[in-house]
Every structure is written in C-alpha cells, then in structure tokens.
Amino acid sequence: MYRSLAVLLSGLMLVAAPVWAGAPPWERVEAVQNVLDGETPVRGAIHLDLPLVSRDGSAVPLTVEVDSPMSEDDYVASIHLFAVSNPYPEIATIHLTPRMGQAKVATRVRLNESQRVVAVARTNTGRVYADAREVRVTVAGCLARDATYDSDTLMLARVRAPERFSAGEPGEVTTLINHPMETGLRKNGDGNLIPRRIVHRVAASVGAETVMEAELHRSVSADPYLRFFVAPVEDGTLTVRWDEEGGESAVREESLRLR
Amino acid sequence: MTRGRINRRQALKLMGAMGAGPFLAAGGRIPPAAAGGPAGRVVVVGGGFGGATVAKYIKRFDPAVEVTLVEPSRRHFTCPFSNLYLGGLYQFDALGHGYEELVSRYGVQVVHSMADDVDADGRTVRLAGGETLSWDRLVLSPGIDIRWGELEGYTRAAAEKAPHAWQAGPQTHLLKKQLEAMEDGGTFILVAPDNPFRCPPGPYERVAMVANYLKSHKPKSKILLLDAKDNFSKQGLFLDGWRKNYGDMIEWVGRSQDGEVVRVDADRLEVETEFGTTHKASVLNVVPPQRAGFIARRAGVTDASGWAPVEPRTFASPRVEGVYVIGDATEAAPMPKSGFCANAQGKVTAAAIVADLAGVDGPDPSWANTCYSTVAPGYGISVAGVYGIREGHIEEISGGVSPADADAAFRRREAEYAVAWYRAITQDTWGTA
Amino acid sequence: MGKSQWFQVWVAAGLLGIGGSAVADTPPAPDRVDVIAATCGNCHGTDGRFVSAIPPLAGRPADELYARLRAFKRGDNDPTVMDRLAGGYTDDELKAVARYFSRVAESPSGDKER
Ligand SMILES: Cc1cc2nc3c(=O)[nH]c(=O)nc-3n(C[C@H](O)[C@H](O)[C@H](O)COP(=O)(O)OP(=O)(O)OC[C@H]3O[C@@H](n4cnc5c(N)ncnc54)[C@H](O)[C@@H]3O)c2cc1C
C-alpha cells in the first residue's frame, strides 16, 4: 500500500502538465489569490527549483526561471514568491525589465516547516504563469540556530558581476547584504519579542535605468541573497541599493565592461 | 502490494481463502524457501558500516537466509577516527577492519570484488570479473562518490594535490604527509560543502584535529575553514571548543561572510570564493560535493538529487522492487550520514528483509545515532538522537547536543566514550575491535 | 524449529484458512525489541557484551537495567548521552530491552539461542 502510493506520487511529480489537475496548489492561499486577481495561470513556461529535502529551513536555496525573450515587446514584468505555510506567506516580489536579458532569479528562503512554495509570474502582455514545489524540511537537533546576530558586519553588502560582458548578452550578478531580517515574531532569551527589522527593498540600476527591483518580505533568509541577470549594451556602472524598512541604506557599485 | 509480487504470507492467506493450496506456490514469485532451499538469497553490496552490519544481522536474525557480501577491499579502513589519526591521537592501522568474523562466525559469504551493474528485472548483480550473483533481495550500501568537477577545478587529478580525505585510505595518508611537510606559520585551508554530505560534524572535527597536530608541531600556523553554510552541526560547541583549546588558530568563515568556495586551483593551492576573494593555502583540504556510490545510480534507485530516496519503514527503494539502500547513499533526513546511522539502518533493514522473506510484517522501526567529535585530547562533544516514524516520515523522537555549559569532567568523559564507541561499533559491525 | 518447518506449519495453517498471525507459535521473525536492543550494540557491542569505558549490558539484572534507563530518561544518573537517547523509547520498550539484555549470557560461549 505504502509502496504503491509512493510510486503513484512520484509518477505524478514527473508529469509536467500545462494545467493543474484537481485543485491548484494556491487555491486557499489568500496572498496568492490577491496576486492572481481572478486569473487562471498556466504551467510550463515557469520553472521553480528548490531541493526536495532541506536540512536547514533557515536558508533554502530557491531559483525561479521563466522562458521569455525579455524583449521590449515581450518580457516578464514580475515574479511573486510564496511559502504557503509560513505565518506570512509572502517571500518576495521581483520587478523585472528587458535590461535583465534573462528572467531568472535566485535567492534563499525561510521555510518554517515542510510545505509548498509557489511562484507566479506576470508578463508585460498580461500572461500569468505559476509553478509550485513541495519541500520537506527536516529539523535535526544538531542544527539549532544561533539566536544572536553578529552585528560587526551589519549592512555590509557584496556584489559580484562577470568581469566582461558581450554586448546585450545576459551575465549573472550575485548580491548579498549582512542583515538579520528579524521577523518581529521571535523572542529573545528573556521572552521579549525581538523588534522587526528587515531589508525590504533591493534595487539594481545601470545609469538612470532600473534593471531590477525586489520587495523582500520576512520569509527571505537572514543575509538576503539575490542573483539575477543584467545584459548591458555598453560599458557602465551597476548600482545596487538596499533599503531597510524605515532605516538605513547601503549602496554598492560595480563596473560593467564589454569584451 | 500492487506490482504483481505476492509474499509468502499473502500467498498462504490466498491459498487458505481459495482452498487452492500448492498450485499457487508453484507459479507465483515466492521466495525459495517454498521450494525447501534457503530462506532466501540476499546480496549486499559494500562492506562498510551499513553493508557489513546488514549482512551480519540478517544472519543473526535468521541463519537460514543465504547472505553474500560484495566488497573489493579485504580490510575496510574507516573514516570515523581518521581525523584522530591526522591529529596524532590514533594509529592508522587500528582503523582497518576485516571480514573474517562475518565469514567464520556468522556464515556470510564474502566476495572480494566490485559490483559493476545491477539487473533489477533479472535480479542479478554483475561483478567486475564478469561473474553474476542472483538475489531475492539486494541491499546497496556503497557509501558516497565524489561529484568530480561539480566544484569548478576539483577533479580527480586535483585531489592528488588538494586531498579530500573523505574516503579513508591513500587520501588520508596524503593529507597527513602534506601536514607533516607544511612549514611552521603556514595556512591550512579546509573547504566545507553545503548539505547534504557525509558526516555533518566531520569538517569541524577535522580542523580541530589538524589544530591539535599544528599546536605542538607548527604553532605559528593558521587554519581557515571556508564554509558553504552558515549553520553547522554542534556549531556552538565547536566554536567554544576551538577557542578553549586552540585560541584563535582556527578561523571559520560562513557563507554569508563570503565563505563559499566556487573554484579550486589545486596547482597553486588557491581557492576563490563566491564574491571573488582568493585565498592561498600551504595545505589545501577540499571536502567536495558528493552523491550516492555509482552502483546506486546503476541500479536506478537514485533521484535527481543524486541520493536514493527510501521507504521509511524498511529502506526499500520506492523505485526498484526488491532493492534496499542504506547508509550514506540514502536521503534519510533528518538522520545524518553517519557510520552510526548506517549501522542502525543495517539492523532495521535486516529485520525487515528477514520478516519479508518469512512473509510477515517487519517490526516498527527504531534507529539511533550518536556522533562523537574529539575537539582535543580529553575534550569530546556529541550529538545524539533516536529516530522513528511519524505520519509516514522519519522523525527525530528524542535527542540533542552536549550541554553548552558542561564542565571539564563531562568533556573528558565524552572523549573517553568516543574511543569506547569506536571500538564497540567496529566490533558490532565487523567483529574486530 | 527451522524455517522450513515453520513454512510447513504455515502451509497447514493456510490450508485450514488461518491467517499467518493466528498460528499458535509465532515465527522467529525479529520484533521491535530485537531491533532496539540491536541498536544498543552500536555503543555497547553486539548483544551488549563489549567491555570498555561504556559499560556492558549483557547478563545484568532486568530490574537494575530498567531502573537505570528510567533514571536516564528523567535526566538523573549523571548522564552524557543516555538522557538524550532514553527519551526516544516508551517505558514499556525500556523494560523489554532491559529484560532482553538480562537474558543474554555475558560471554559469547553462552550464546543466546535465537
Ligand atoms: C572524516 C570523517 C569522519 C567521520 N566520523 C564519523 C564518526 O565519528 N561517527 C560516525 O558515525 N560517522 C562518521 N563518519 C561518517 C561515516 O564514515 C559514514 O557515514 C559511513 O562510512 C557510511 O557507511 P556506508 O556503509 O554508507 O558507507 P561506507 O562505510 O563508506 O562503505 C561503503 C563500502 O562500499 C564499498 N563499495 C562501494 N561501491 C561498491 C561496489 N560497486 N561494489 C562493491 N563494493 C562497493 C566500498 O569499498 C566501501 O567499503 C565520518 C566520515 C568522515 C569522512
């Protein structure tokens, strides 16, 4: 019985259907419904990738990619990420532009428990795509998370871009800022709530043009990490800016050079 | 059971119900006991912690089952305590364990060969020499393979210059030799991978044991641990233990402080991190990304992660009928990839196979783990857990790490227990202590 | 009784329409207590006979073993790992395991019949 169920389940997971058989996985998730705004998304053009099993729910790697030409006429305008069983399911909303060249973003997320992660993408032409993944989170006693955050490097930001780009070809940029992303839901040793403190916005621009902007929520892991693409057409400077909610900002610049 | 196979008990029930009797026994796929031969034939691939244990315990639970263990080496050298060898606290020779007792005392047949391929339909295993063994149940406990090239620049050739020493043997000797040749004031770099990997506390015990060696032989040296994770096993205990025993000799750099290594240059003994920092080592020890041993892939039991998912109760593969996988090759979270768990899984799976061959339901499983780490002579720490099944998944029922505020006597006892544990588990697994 | 004899009993039982579990004498398949006891061997040696800094279990009185296990479970008895492990079993299981080891001979020569 158990075996046949497992076989059935693994069989189901292998089938990439363009539409959801049965109830879609976000059916009762209000945050997702708000983003869908009554529309029915399709599968197939969007690929969400997370490990099947994670041994550390505090930082689960997530990659989402949408098949798109990312041209001025046809590009992915936004990607919305949700961890449906977290106390606040929103992970992040990423606003994309044709200047990225590729609709692929990676980050690390907090998963309170085993659950479903959902990604919804919307194109400039109004098409809506969605994908979902089940992640099993196991907690082992040996990985008790340290409650204190080392503040020596608070707001220290890092950016890495490829040394050379080919004109108009996307190259991957990696960014990270040291920040606790305090949810406001955790208690310290004395039983008092640790005040909420999060970086709520990361924006990347080249010159005056915005390349990418991300709104981060509490389900993004501490030390927010974001990888995305940029496709420069000429030499320039990439500016990445992180803003704390009602607090400080950090800015890093990185030169983009063509071959 | 929906795949056309019926076990002995079901066959019997069926016979009873239908009053049909012997006809079915002749036609259905029924273990050989029905024909009056052995109670079943089991082939075990891999004579490490998992494989040697499952072979021995099948024989202990039911001597009538025929068990053949396939393992190329005549002596298995264990990873556990190889860090203590590097630290100068244990003899290399004492890490080797043979198969004599499994043969003479328990009646396991041991074939010293490599299993090359598995034919799941024909229920055979092909050995390196071309010979085949047939089985009613197959257990794979092949341990890990390195994912060569997954970490850029870390190839087989690179490992000859920047050893991993994550499979005990020549690699362990190479690392020891490099340590001995290192100049005082040099930098030992250890590169630690992301989860999951063999022995979660292993890299952290390794640097402690290297520090123990350097402290008395090359005290001006430094140790840099570059990590692809921000959290690791027994973190607080290790950080505290390193500081107490080695001052600031060991520096740990987690992923969010740019600790993740993305490229290795073994010729120059240099590594490059995610955000572009280059570190140069005097001795470079790379613990690379891993996956299940190749025979698991050959048998078709692994998934996209490179590890083998298992049915929690028995560690039978949900992918290939009649095949069981145990030890490091499995994805059995939250159980760690430890020798202790491989041994515990061997016992549960032995019971499940004996029960299955006898046509009865196997017992509700229970596994345990205790990973001791030796931080310094007379300074041990541990993580322990008991695992069982809840809602169809493996879960930790009880467990935890050594207390953070334990006194010196407690740490000393855990260091002693670590040695006692090693001797006991090797006795329990191979019969050689 | 060997395996093949067991099988004959089952065949007979089967022919009479009796399920396997209804056979009077249960077959020698390992049960949960066997598995838990085997797990102890990891630190205490096979059959709990290994003598080292970790004390052996074989042949010790069931009452004594059970009392110690219960104390460990409560965190008493100056434990290192045993408190963390004992919590993983019910009291009945601890009792059964204590009984199991009390019946094992201290040396392999007096091997317990399995
Ligand atoms: C540095 C270090 C320290 C460690 N310390 C501890 C510790 O203190 N405690 C602990 O519990 N664990 C420890 N471990 C982990 C432990 O080594 C592993 O978890 C354990 O070895 C897993 O057992 P296994 O049976 O899966 O694999 P292994 O023990 O590696 O056995 C696999 C065997 O299979 C054989 N094999 C592979 N492929 C084939 C094939 N195709 N045909 C035939 N034979 C094959 C190999 O030759 C090998 O003998 C440590 C590991 C490391 C690296």
Side-chain angles (χ1 to χ4, degrees), chain C residues 9-41:
Chain C
V9 171
W10 290 351
V11 169
L15 291 173
L16 292 172
I18 307 170
S21 56
V23 179
D25 216 353
T26 43
D31 61 19
R32 183 169 158 94
V33 175
D34 292 318
V35 166
I36 294 173
T39 306
C40 304

Side-chain angles (χ1 to χ4, degrees), chain A residues 174-251:
Chain A
T174 307
T175 71
L176 182 144
I177 186 165
N178 289 143
H179 195 278
M181 291 297 274
E182 266 317 329
T183 57
L185 305 171
R186 279 201 322 154
K187 287 184 177 152
N188 64 15
D190 310 329
N192 301 317
L193 278 184
I194 306 173
R196 170 179 165 128
R197 182 175 187 181
I198 64 169
V199 167
H200 72 144
R201 182 176 170 273
V202 186
S205 54
V206 175
E209 288 191 306
T210 299
V211 173
M212 185 250 17
E213 192 178 328
E215 297 162 36
L216 309 185
H217 301 286
R218 286 177 276 193
S219 295
V220 167
S221 300
D223 305 305
Y225 175 86
L226 205 59
R227 278 199 332 256
F228 55 89
F229 283 82
V230 57
V233 288
E234 54 187 19
D235 287 356
T237 303
L238 175 76
T239 305
V240 184
R241 182 190 163 104
W242 293 259
D243 293 314
E244 262 189 328
E245 192 177 56
E248 294 178 37
S249 300
V251 176

Side-chain angles (χ1 to χ4, degrees), chain B residues 44-52 70-73 76 78-83 99 113-116 141-145 165-168 198-199 202-203 205-206 293-295 326-329 336-343 369-373 421-422 425 430:
Chain B
V44 178
V45 174
F49 280 94
V70 183
E71 161 64 51
S73 320
H76 177 92
T78 66
C79 285
F81 271 52
S82 65
N83 285 336
Y99 298 90
S113 181
M114 197 77 179
D116 259 359
S141 188
I144 55 157
D145 272 359
W166 223 242
Q167 287 158 323
R198 160 174 283 184
C199 195
E205 182 189 60
R206 163 91 34 105
F294 79 92
I295 196 72
I326 57 174
D328 288 358
K337 296 187 188 299
S338 73
F340 199 123
C341 279
N343 169 295
N369 180 56
T370 303
C371 284
Y372 286 103
S373 297
W421 163 79
Y422 181 74
I425 192 176
W430 294 277

